[in-house]
Amino acid sequence: MNYNLIFLFILLNLPFFFYFKNIAKFINIYDAADGIRKFQKKSIPLIGGFILIYNIVSFFILDFFLELKIFDEKFTFSKREFFSLYIGSILFFLFGVLDDKYSFKANIKLFIIFILTLLVVMLDENLLITNLKFSFISHIIELDAFSYFLSILCFLLFFNALNMFDGINLQVGFYGVLIFIIFITKGLFINLSLIIIFSLLFFLLFNFKNKTFLGEGGVQLLAFLLSYIIIKAYNLEQDFFYVDEVFIIMAIPGLELFRLFLVRLLNGKHPFKGDTNHLHHLLIKKFSPNKAFLLIFCSIVISINLYYLIDSKLMYIFFIILFYSITIHQLSKKD
């Protein structure tokens, strides 16, 4: 473990620890209860994303001057690639912050995310998904002319899936921690992953006490970083990820996105307009928010671990989809 990173992290984040309320007042972006989807008793500051971007940018700058080696040697970054990661992180965060402040309409949000994603992919062509590799198929499926379309679609799907998954305290934060732990076990972006894990755990301390939320800025930033690293690693020759593995890692947020998209369309509603039909909402009707979080998080941890233990990957994917469908059906039943 890099103890220098831990020491620097603690030192850099002392202002948040001692002057949290002052920083929240200075940023002045709050999530207010609306009696429809948000039922907190008071307005909550949305500074979780600021904790993330503050640490990421700080370590980028320190890496430049002190050579902390945040990026592993296997990821030989050109200036163009580094700029894509750096500017992408900042732009997606800033867009999310503006959305927190002004609440953009769903179509505008989708369009802007599309433009930002296109910009990032054009800057770094190593983010283009040129083929599909499955663990249970020996043949690699080449995408050719569909590379740009599928690459941007994957980014958009993950952005929206993570956004829909963000609904109760601790959920997205711990989900992010889990995925970055997976990156570390695979030897991917180890130091950067540690920085983000520390940042998320620091945020979760406040989030557990209902003192702050991640906000759109934090969700957009986290979604970009997760998408970026997964696609970047997927394109390496070492086969760090397979398509079916990525599906399992984001199975619950992904299946939630697909289900809610379909249900809203069938009900004549906008597919990206919020409602209270999410998995966590259904669970909260029967359990406390903390129990709902634990049920969802434990399900994700178990499903990912079983993927690596079970040989028949294709059958396991069908099982996950079936289990999710049965769970939603049972939870949706009226008492």
Side-chain angles (χ1 to χ4, degrees), residues 249-281:
I249 290 173
M250 59 176 298
I252 291 183
L255 290 171
E256 279 283 277
L257 172 66
F258 178 77
R259 176 180 68 87
L260 293 168
F261 186 93
L262 188 61
V263 169
R264 290 168 184 173
L265 281 179
L266 292 174
N267 291 330
K269 298 179 180 179
H270 194 289
F272 296 114
K273 188 175 182 180
D275 56 31
T276 55
N277 194 31
H278 297 232
L279 175 59
H280 52 263
H281 290 130

CSV table of all heavy atoms in Angstrom, one decimal, residues 249-281:
chain,number,residue,atom,x,y,z
A,249,ILE,N,-20.9,-7.1,-13.5
A,249,ILE,CA,-20.5,-6.0,-12.6
A,249,ILE,C,-21.5,-4.9,-12.5
A,249,ILE,O,-21.8,-4.4,-11.4
A,249,ILE,CB,-19.1,-5.4,-13.0
A,249,ILE,CG1,-18.0,-6.5,-12.8
A,249,ILE,CG2,-18.8,-4.1,-12.3
A,249,ILE,CD1,-16.7,-6.1,-13.3
A,250,MET,N,-22.2,-4.6,-13.6
A,250,MET,CA,-23.2,-3.6,-13.6
A,250,MET,C,-24.6,-4.1,-13.8
A,250,MET,O,-25.5,-3.4,-14.3
A,250,MET,CB,-22.8,-2.5,-14.6
A,250,MET,CG,-22.7,-2.9,-16.0
A,250,MET,SD,-22.4,-1.5,-17.1
A,250,MET,CE,-23.9,-0.5,-16.9
A,251,ALA,N,-24.8,-5.4,-13.4
A,251,ALA,CA,-26.1,-6.0,-13.7
A,251,ALA,C,-27.3,-5.3,-13.1
A,251,ALA,O,-28.2,-5.0,-13.8
A,251,ALA,CB,-26.0,-7.5,-13.2
A,252,ILE,N,-27.2,-5.0,-11.8
A,252,ILE,CA,-28.4,-4.4,-11.2
A,252,ILE,C,-28.7,-3.0,-11.7
A,252,ILE,O,-29.8,-2.7,-12.1
A,252,ILE,CB,-28.3,-4.4,-9.6
A,252,ILE,CG1,-28.4,-5.9,-9.1
A,252,ILE,CG2,-29.4,-3.5,-9.0
A,252,ILE,CD1,-28.4,-6.0,-7.6
A,253,PRO,N,-27.7,-2.1,-11.7
A,253,PRO,CA,-27.9,-0.8,-12.3
A,253,PRO,C,-28.4,-0.9,-13.8
A,253,PRO,O,-29.3,-0.2,-14.3
A,253,PRO,CB,-26.6,0.0,-12.2
A,253,PRO,CG,-25.9,-0.7,-11.1
A,253,PRO,CD,-26.3,-2.1,-11.2
A,254,GLY,N,-27.8,-1.8,-14.5
A,254,GLY,CA,-28.1,-2.0,-16.0
A,254,GLY,C,-29.5,-2.5,-16.2
A,254,GLY,O,-30.3,-2.0,-17.0
A,255,LEU,N,-29.9,-3.5,-15.4
A,255,LEU,CA,-31.2,-4.1,-15.5
A,255,LEU,C,-32.3,-3.1,-15.0
A,255,LEU,O,-33.4,-3.0,-15.6
A,255,LEU,CB,-31.3,-5.4,-14.7
A,255,LEU,CG,-30.5,-6.6,-15.3
A,255,LEU,CD1,-30.5,-7.7,-14.3
A,255,LEU,CD2,-31.1,-7.0,-16.6
A,256,GLU,N,-31.9,-2.3,-14.0
A,256,GLU,CA,-32.8,-1.3,-13.6
A,256,GLU,C,-33.1,-0.2,-14.7
A,256,GLU,O,-34.2,0.2,-14.9
A,256,GLU,CB,-32.2,-0.5,-12.4
A,256,GLU,CG,-32.4,-1.2,-11.1
A,256,GLU,CD,-33.8,-1.1,-10.5
A,256,GLU,OE1,-34.1,-0.1,-9.9
A,256,GLU,OE2,-34.7,-2.0,-10.8
A,257,LEU,N,-32.0,0.1,-15.4
A,257,LEU,CA,-32.1,1.1,-16.5
A,257,LEU,C,-33.1,0.5,-17.6
A,257,LEU,O,-34.0,1.2,-18.0
A,257,LEU,CB,-30.8,1.4,-17.1
A,257,LEU,CG,-30.7,2.2,-18.4
A,257,LEU,CD1,-31.2,3.6,-18.1
A,257,LEU,CD2,-29.3,2.2,-19.0
A,258,PHE,N,-32.8,-0.7,-18.0
A,258,PHE,CA,-33.7,-1.3,-19.0
A,258,PHE,C,-35.1,-1.4,-18.6
A,258,PHE,O,-36.0,-1.1,-19.4
A,258,PHE,CB,-33.1,-2.7,-19.4
A,258,PHE,CG,-33.9,-3.4,-20.4
A,258,PHE,CD1,-33.8,-3.1,-21.7
A,258,PHE,CD2,-34.8,-4.5,-20.0
A,258,PHE,CE1,-34.5,-3.8,-22.7
A,258,PHE,CE2,-35.5,-5.1,-21.0
A,258,PHE,CZ,-35.4,-4.8,-22.3
A,259,ARG,N,-35.4,-1.9,-17.4
A,259,ARG,CA,-36.7,-2.1,-16.9
A,259,ARG,C,-37.5,-0.8,-16.8
A,259,ARG,O,-38.6,-0.6,-17.3
A,259,ARG,CB,-36.7,-2.8,-15.5
A,259,ARG,CG,-38.1,-2.9,-14.9
A,259,ARG,CD,-38.0,-3.6,-13.5
A,259,ARG,NE,-37.4,-2.8,-12.5
A,259,ARG,CZ,-38.0,-1.9,-11.8
A,259,ARG,NH1,-39.3,-1.7,-11.9
A,259,ARG,NH2,-37.4,-1.2,-10.9
A,260,LEU,N,-36.9,0.2,-16.2
A,260,LEU,CA,-37.5,1.5,-16.0
A,260,LEU,C,-37.7,2.2,-17.3
A,260,LEU,O,-38.8,2.9,-17.5
A,260,LEU,CB,-36.7,2.4,-15.0
A,260,LEU,CG,-36.6,1.9,-13.6
A,260,LEU,CD1,-35.5,2.7,-12.8
A,260,LEU,CD2,-37.9,2.0,-12.9
A,261,PHE,N,-36.8,2.1,-18.2
A,261,PHE,CA,-36.9,2.7,-19.5
A,261,PHE,C,-38.1,2.1,-20.2
A,261,PHE,O,-39.0,2.8,-20.8
A,261,PHE,CB,-35.6,2.4,-20.3
A,261,PHE,CG,-35.6,3.1,-21.7
A,261,PHE,CD1,-35.0,4.3,-21.9
A,261,PHE,CD2,-36.2,2.4,-22.8
A,261,PHE,CE1,-35.0,4.9,-23.1
A,261,PHE,CE2,-36.1,3.0,-24.1
A,261,PHE,CZ,-35.5,4.3,-24.2
A,262,LEU,N,-38.3,0.8,-20.2
A,262,LEU,CA,-39.4,0.1,-20.9
A,262,LEU,C,-40.7,0.4,-20.2
A,262,LEU,O,-41.7,0.7,-20.9
A,262,LEU,CB,-39.1,-1.4,-20.8
A,262,LEU,CG,-40.1,-2.3,-21.7
A,262,LEU,CD1,-40.0,-1.9,-23.1
A,262,LEU,CD2,-39.7,-3.8,-21.5
A,263,VAL,N,-40.8,0.3,-18.9
A,263,VAL,CA,-42.0,0.6,-18.1
A,263,VAL,C,-42.5,2.0,-18.4
A,263,VAL,O,-43.7,2.2,-18.6
A,263,VAL,CB,-41.8,0.3,-16.6
A,263,VAL,CG1,-43.0,0.8,-15.8
A,263,VAL,CG2,-41.6,-1.2,-16.4
A,264,ARG,N,-41.6,3.0,-18.3
A,264,ARG,CA,-42.0,4.4,-18.5
A,264,ARG,C,-42.5,4.6,-19.9
A,264,ARG,O,-43.5,5.3,-20.1
A,264,ARG,CB,-40.8,5.3,-18.2
A,264,ARG,CG,-40.5,5.4,-16.8
A,264,ARG,CD,-39.1,6.0,-16.5
A,264,ARG,NE,-38.7,6.0,-15.1
A,264,ARG,CZ,-37.5,6.4,-14.7
A,264,ARG,NH1,-36.6,6.8,-15.5
A,264,ARG,NH2,-37.3,6.3,-13.4
A,265,LEU,N,-41.9,4.0,-20.9
A,265,LEU,CA,-42.4,4.1,-22.3
A,265,LEU,C,-43.7,3.5,-22.5
A,265,LEU,O,-44.6,4.1,-23.1
A,265,LEU,CB,-41.4,3.5,-23.3
A,265,LEU,CG,-40.1,4.2,-23.6
A,265,LEU,CD1,-39.3,3.4,-24.6
A,265,LEU,CD2,-40.5,5.6,-24.3
A,266,LEU,N,-43.9,2.3,-21.9
A,266,LEU,CA,-45.3,1.7,-22.0
A,266,LEU,C,-46.3,2.5,-21.3
A,266,LEU,O,-47.5,2.4,-21.6
A,266,LEU,CB,-45.2,0.3,-21.4
A,266,LEU,CG,-44.3,-0.7,-22.1
A,266,LEU,CD1,-44.2,-2.0,-21.4
A,266,LEU,CD2,-44.9,-1.0,-23.5
A,267,ASN,N,-46.0,3.3,-20.2
A,267,ASN,CA,-46.9,4.1,-19.5
A,267,ASN,C,-47.0,5.5,-20.1
A,267,ASN,O,-47.7,6.4,-19.5
A,267,ASN,CB,-46.5,4.2,-18.0
A,267,ASN,CG,-46.7,2.8,-17.3
A,267,ASN,OD1,-47.6,2.0,-17.7
A,267,ASN,ND2,-45.9,2.6,-16.3
A,268,GLY,N,-46.4,5.7,-21.2
A,268,GLY,CA,-46.5,7.0,-21.9
A,268,GLY,C,-45.7,8.1,-21.2
A,268,GLY,O,-46.0,9.3,-21.4
A,269,LYS,N,-44.7,7.8,-20.5
A,269,LYS,CA,-43.9,8.7,-19.8
A,269,LYS,C,-42.5,8.9,-20.4
A,269,LYS,O,-42.1,8.0,-21.2
A,269,LYS,CB,-43.7,8.3,-18.3
A,269,LYS,CG,-45.0,8.3,-17.5
A,269,LYS,CD,-44.8,7.8,-16.1
A,269,LYS,CE,-46.1,7.8,-15.3
A,269,LYS,NZ,-45.8,7.3,-13.9
A,270,HIS,N,-41.8,9.9,-20.1
A,270,HIS,CA,-40.4,10.1,-20.6
A,270,HIS,C,-39.6,9.0,-19.9
A,270,HIS,O,-39.6,8.9,-18.7
A,270,HIS,CB,-39.9,11.5,-20.2
A,270,HIS,CG,-38.7,11.9,-21.0
A,270,HIS,ND1,-37.4,11.3,-20.8
A,270,HIS,CD2,-38.5,12.8,-22.0
A,270,HIS,CE1,-36.6,11.8,-21.6
A,270,HIS,NE2,-37.2,12.7,-22.4
A,271,PRO,N,-38.8,8.3,-20.7
A,271,PRO,CA,-38.0,7.2,-20.2
A,271,PRO,C,-36.9,7.6,-19.2
A,271,PRO,O,-36.4,6.8,-18.4
A,271,PRO,CB,-37.3,6.6,-21.4
A,271,PRO,CG,-37.3,7.7,-22.5
A,271,PRO,CD,-38.6,8.4,-22.2
A,272,PHE,N,-36.5,8.9,-19.1
A,272,PHE,CA,-35.5,9.3,-18.2
A,272,PHE,C,-36.1,10.3,-17.1
A,272,PHE,O,-35.3,11.0,-16.4
A,272,PHE,CB,-34.3,10.0,-18.9
A,272,PHE,CG,-33.6,9.1,-19.8
A,272,PHE,CD1,-33.6,9.2,-21.2
A,272,PHE,CD2,-32.9,8.0,-19.3
A,272,PHE,CE1,-33.0,8.3,-22.1
A,272,PHE,CE2,-32.2,7.1,-20.1
A,272,PHE,CZ,-32.3,7.3,-21.5
A,273,LYS,N,-37.4,10.4,-17.0
A,273,LYS,CA,-38.0,11.2,-16.0
A,273,LYS,C,-38.1,10.4,-14.7
A,273,LYS,O,-38.6,9.3,-14.7
A,273,LYS,CB,-39.4,11.7,-16.4
A,273,LYS,CG,-40.0,12.7,-15.5
A,273,LYS,CD,-41.2,13.3,-16.0
A,273,LYS,CE,-41.8,14.4,-15.1
A,273,LYS,NZ,-43.1,15.0,-15.6
A,274,GLY,N,-37.7,10.9,-13.6
A,274,GLY,CA,-37.6,10.2,-12.3
A,274,GLY,C,-39.0,9.7,-11.8
A,274,GLY,O,-40.0,10.4,-12.1
A,275,ASP,N,-39.0,8.6,-11.1
A,275,ASP,CA,-40.2,8.1,-10.4
A,275,ASP,C,-39.8,7.4,-9.2
A,275,ASP,O,-38.7,7.4,-8.8
A,275,ASP,CB,-41.0,7.3,-11.4
A,275,ASP,CG,-40.3,6.1,-11.9
A,275,ASP,OD1,-39.3,5.6,-11.2
A,275,ASP,OD2,-40.5,5.7,-13.1
A,276,THR,N,-40.8,6.7,-8.6
A,276,THR,CA,-40.5,6.0,-7.3
A,276,THR,C,-40.7,4.5,-7.6
A,276,THR,O,-41.2,3.8,-6.7
A,276,THR,CB,-41.4,6.4,-6.2
A,276,THR,OG1,-42.8,6.4,-6.6
A,276,THR,CG2,-41.1,7.9,-5.8
A,277,ASN,N,-40.3,4.0,-8.7
A,277,ASN,CA,-40.5,2.6,-9.1
A,277,ASN,C,-39.1,1.9,-9.1
A,277,ASN,O,-39.0,0.7,-9.6
A,277,ASN,CB,-41.1,2.5,-10.5
A,277,ASN,CG,-41.6,1.1,-10.8
A,277,ASN,OD1,-42.0,0.4,-9.8
A,277,ASN,ND2,-41.6,0.7,-12.0
A,278,HIS,N,-38.1,2.5,-8.6
A,278,HIS,CA,-36.8,1.9,-8.6
A,278,HIS,C,-36.7,0.7,-7.6
A,278,HIS,O,-37.6,0.6,-6.7
A,278,HIS,CB,-35.7,2.9,-8.2
A,278,HIS,CG,-35.6,4.0,-9.2
A,278,HIS,ND1,-34.4,4.4,-9.7
A,278,HIS,CD2,-36.5,4.9,-9.7
A,278,HIS,CE1,-34.5,5.4,-10.5
A,278,HIS,NE2,-35.8,5.7,-10.5
A,279,LEU,N,-35.7,-0.1,-7.7
A,279,LEU,CA,-35.6,-1.3,-6.8
A,279,LEU,C,-35.5,-0.8,-5.4
A,279,LEU,O,-36.1,-1.4,-4.5
A,279,LEU,CB,-34.3,-2.1,-7.2
A,279,LEU,CG,-34.0,-3.2,-6.3
A,279,LEU,CD1,-35.1,-4.3,-6.2
A,279,LEU,CD2,-32.7,-3.9,-6.8
A,280,HIS,N,-34.7,0.3,-5.1
A,280,HIS,CA,-34.6,0.7,-3.7
A,280,HIS,C,-35.9,1.3,-3.2
A,280,HIS,O,-36.2,1.2,-2.0
A,280,HIS,CB,-33.4,1.7,-3.6
A,280,HIS,CG,-33.5,2.9,-4.6
A,280,HIS,ND1,-32.8,2.9,-5.7
A,280,HIS,CD2,-34.2,4.1,-4.5
A,280,HIS,CE1,-33.0,4.0,-6.4
A,280,HIS,NE2,-33.8,4.8,-5.7
A,281,HIS,N,-36.7,1.9,-4.1
A,281,HIS,CA,-38.0,2.4,-3.6
A,281,HIS,C,-38.9,1.2,-3.2
A,281,HIS,O,-39.6,1.3,-2.2
A,281,HIS,CB,-38.7,3.2,-4.7
A,281,HIS,CG,-38.0,4.5,-5.0
A,281,HIS,ND1,-37.7,5.0,-6.2
A,281,HIS,CD2,-37.6,5.5,-4.1
A,281,HIS,CE1,-37.1,6.1,-6.1
A,281,HIS,NE2,-37.0,6.5,-4.9
